[in-house]
Amino acid sequence: MKLLMITRKVDKNDSHAGFTYGWVDKIARAVDELFVICLSKGETMGLPENVKIYSLGKETGAGRLKRFIRFSLLALKLVPKVDGIFCHMNPEYTIAVWPAALLFRKKIVSWYTHKSVTWKTKLLVKMSDKILTASKESFRLLDSEGDPPERGRLKYKVQITGHGIETDRFRPDEISQHTDEKFKILTIGRISPSKDYESLIKGVNTLVDRGVNTIFVQIIGGPAIDTDKQYFDSLKMMVKNMKLENYLEFVGPVPNNEIAPYLQQADLFVNLSQTGSVDKAVLEAMACGCLCLTSNVAFIKIVGEDFMVKENDPVHLAEKIKLVMDLPTEQKKEISERFRQIIIHQHNLDNLVKKIIACY
């Protein structure tokens, strides 16, 4: 089988899109040839020889018009050669390749995991032959039971597959388990207000005020736009004013292929993002056997009520962190293994790739 994949970026060293490298690698090993069109390209060394990557040139400064023309020419060149098209994440990719797919009668399978429903999402539904999503919360045209609210073709188009986590890379590392007395808390994500880092900082401050001085928090990620940078400055000022410098560290962006060791060394992963869909960062933490606290409603059925925290409630967060800290060691190990097994069985990239290929 020959497949065309369209995605935003292929770069194993990217802190946000680095996971896509793993998807390209796994899909390539399941097909004869894989052509990839991406907006920009970074480090791709190590991918199988049957992968050919075509960048639209965003990394070299190519403007939108130039990228659109290049995409159109590539679509006309590559679509006739392949057996199917896999559009990864952005509805725009499905919309852009649809004319060529229609012309050459090629099936489009689209991956979409986001809570927003826009006109682009509705076009995605009409133009795709199949839509794959991580959970019912990740595709809001599904109803509360995980079924399409409208019958007809949509009923057969949408398939809930689970996410795609590299469980062979994100796994516990018993050999390197930390031995110091600090209880290590980790969170990963872009520095932006939607991640609610201020609640985490205030929660840490509450614990320290209550005499809990064995915690240490690492925040991995960086700001992307000017408003994020202003938010980041306010967070650093908050840490300084609360005198939490010895309890919290802003690590900065870390490439996805270097994240696993941080997770393996953490006692607890905290996620206060309100994406409303299944967050990949939490799943990667669970795959590493990390205990997790989250306020993301998409995880209620995955981690259970005991590991859910209230939104914008630092005191409640502090109380939940303390409860996790006080769990007996054997109970922590049992929960850790249960979390990992959930990822292996429901969110394994190897299984997802098989589901993608089966669509064609």
Side-chain angles (χ1 to χ4, degrees):
M1 176 185 287
K2 296 180 181 180
L3 203 62
L4 169 62
M5 178 177 178
I6 306 173
T7 190
R8 183 175 73 84
K9 188 175 187 178
V10 182
D11 181 3
K12 68 189 298 184
N13 293 330
D14 189 87
S15 59
H16 298 296
F19 75 96
T20 306
Y21 175 94
W23 284 50
V24 171
D25 178 71
K26 295 281 188 179
I27 294 173
R29 296 177 191 279
V31 299
D32 297 312
E33 282 189 83
L34 178 64
F35 304 100
V36 181
I37 297 176
C38 53
L39 285 178
S40 61
K41 170 183 167 184
E43 179 57 67
T44 60
M45 187 175 295
L47 288 174
E49 293 183 359
N50 64 334
V51 177
K52 293 183 180 178
I53 298 179
Y54 300 87
S55 172
L56 300 183
K58 189 174 181 179
E59 74 275 16
T60 60
R64 289 189 177 185
L65 178 60
K66 187 174 182 179
R67 296 200 304 265
F68 176 75
I69 293 172
R70 179 162 172 73
F71 178 87
S72 301
L73 293 175
L74 283 171
L76 291 173
K77 173 185 175 182
L78 298 175
V79 170
K81 297 181 179 180
V82 300
D83 299 297
I85 304 163
F86 178 56
C87 297
H88 183 234
M89 277 308 295
N90 291 0
E92 290 87 347
Y93 306 150
T94 298
I95 295 168
V97 80
W98 179 77
L102 182 67
L103 177 64
F104 297 107
R105 298 184 178 182
K106 304 296 180 179
K107 182 181 285 188
I108 300 177
V109 176
S110 300
W111 170 264
Y112 187 79
T113 57
H114 203 281
K115 69 177 181 180
S116 67
V117 175
T118 67
W119 64 269
K120 294 178 183 178
T121 316
K122 294 174 181 177
L123 265 184
L124 172 82
V125 170
K126 294 182 181 298
M127 294 177 173
S128 301
D129 293 277
K130 195 78 173 179
I131 298 165
L132 305 182
T133 190
S135 69
K136 67 180 181 65
E137 294 85 2
S138 303
F139 193 77
R140 294 303 174 96
L141 286 175
L142 298 175
D143 65 19
S144 61
E145 300 301 320
D147 294 321
E150 56 184 89
R151 300 308 172 192
R153 292 193 64 197
L154 180 56
K155 179 178 180 180
Y156 305 100
K157 276 190 177 185
V158 182
Q159 180 181 349
I160 297 174
T161 61
H163 223 303
I165 304 301
E166 295 179 78
T167 55
D168 51 350
R169 184 161 67 88
F170 289 97
R171 64 181 189 274
D173 187 351
E174 300 295 337
I175 298 176
S176 66
Q177 289 294 308
H178 68 83
T179 56
D180 61 47
E181 296 180 354
K182 291 289 186 181
F183 184 85
K184 293 188 176 179
I185 300 172
L186 181 67
T187 188
I188 300 172
R190 196 182 89 186
I191 301 292
S192 71
S194 65
K195 307 299 183 182
D196 192 19
Y197 288 117
E198 62 267 34
S199 286
L200 176 57
I201 295 170
K202 291 175 183 177
V204 171
N205 188 58
T206 298
L207 287 168
V208 172
D209 284 346
R210 293 179 180 180
V212 181
N213 56 13
T214 58
I215 56 174
F216 185 72
V217 179
Q218 289 183 309
I219 297 176
I220 292 179
I225 57 178
D226 288 340
T227 54
D228 290 346
K229 292 174 183 175
Q230 294 169 12
Y231 175 67
F232 187 29
D233 289 338
S234 71
L235 294 179
K236 288 187 287 187
M237 184 60 66
M238 185 184 297
V239 170
K240 183 178 180 181
N241 291 339
M242 293 179 176
K243 297 181 172 57
L244 296 176
E245 292 93 335
N246 294 329
Y247 299 96
L248 191 144
E249 174 189 15
F250 291 103
V251 178
V254 174
N256 184 261
N257 64 339
E258 297 176 12
I259 285 291
Y262 285 92
L263 292 168
Q264 291 163 348
Q265 291 289 315
D267 295 294
L268 176 66
F269 186 85
V270 174
N271 173 263
L272 303 178
S273 174
Q274 299 304 317
T275 62
S277 59
V278 177
D279 196 318
K280 179 179 63 66
V282 180
L283 300 179
E284 289 173 346
M286 293 174 67
C288 287
C290 206
L291 302 190
C292 300
L293 290 176
T294 179
S295 59
N296 189 337
V297 294
F299 278 93
I300 292 178
K301 292 183 180 179
I302 299 175
V303 300
E305 289 284 354
D306 289 345
F307 292 91
M308 297 297 298
V309 296
K310 297 176 183 177
E311 294 180 30
N312 305 311
D313 193 334
V315 174
H316 185 252
L317 174 62
E319 291 169 350
K320 281 293 184 94
I321 290 174
K322 189 63 169 65
L323 285 173
V324 173
M325 292 178 70
D326 292 341
L327 287 174
T329 301
E330 286 305 313
Q331 189 174 351
K332 288 179 181 177
K333 288 181 179 179
E334 180 184 322
I335 297 168
S336 170
E337 179 58 27
R338 175 164 61 85
F339 278 4
R340 175 163 172 78
Q341 289 304 315
I342 289 172
I343 307 307
I344 289 174
H345 294 297
Q346 299 179 20
H347 300 280
N348 190 330
L349 180 57
D350 290 320
N351 294 338
L352 177 59
V353 168
K354 290 176 184 177
K355 293 173 184 177
I356 293 170
I357 300 303
C359 291
Y360 301 99

